[in-house]
């Protein structure tokens, strides 16, 4: 029972956390992202624990890296 619990509950959760950590460490200037609050923006500057995201022309917000949820750099935009 413990082995089944490990493979269906614990292991996937740790893999997901590892993947998210790796994503946040690889954030780069110019990358388009969505925050956990649903705000779309572009990374202007990357600091040790925070990033500055431009959400509109000359509107910049500094936020924790943990607040960045999704990378949109490779997503195709529909026009």
């Amino acid at each position: 029972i413990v082995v089944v619990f490990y493979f269906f509950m614990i292991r996937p959760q740790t893999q997901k956390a590892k993947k998210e950590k790796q994503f946040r460490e690889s954030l780069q200037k110019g990358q388009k992202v969505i925050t956990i609050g649903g705000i779309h923006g572009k990374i202007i500057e990357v600091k040790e624990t925070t990033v500055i995201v431009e959400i509109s022309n000359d509107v910049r917000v500094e936020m924790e890296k943990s607040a960045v949820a999704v990378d949109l750099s490779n997503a195709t935009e529909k026009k």
Side-chain angles (χ1 to χ4, degrees):
I1 294 175
V2 173
V3 173
V4 171
F5 184 75
Y6 173 78
F7 280 108
F8 286 107
M9 299 294 283
I10 298 171
R11 189 165 184 256
Q13 190 173 12
T14 56
Q15 287 178 335
K16 182 179 176 185
K18 183 178 178 182
K19 199 181 242 186
E20 288 176 358
K21 181 180 177 188
Q22 187 178 29
F23 163 70
R24 289 186 175 113
E25 289 174 351
S26 69
L27 292 173
Q28 298 177 2
K29 181 179 178 179
Q31 205 171 358
K32 293 181 181 180
V33 294
I34 299 177
T35 67
I36 58 175
I39 298 172
H40 293 241
K42 184 169 123 179
I43 296 176
I44 300 299
E45 184 179 342
V46 179
K47 297 182 181 180
E48 189 174 328
T49 59
T50 61
V51 291
I52 297 177
V53 178
E54 184 174 51
I55 56 176
S56 184
N57 292 337
D58 296 326
V59 179
R60 296 177 178 182
V61 179
E62 184 172 6
M63 60 184 61
E64 293 292 320
K65 285 183 177 180
S66 61
V68 178
V70 180
D71 174 17
L72 289 179
S73 296
N74 297 329
T76 57
E77 295 181 17
K78 294 182 179 179
K79 293 184 178 183

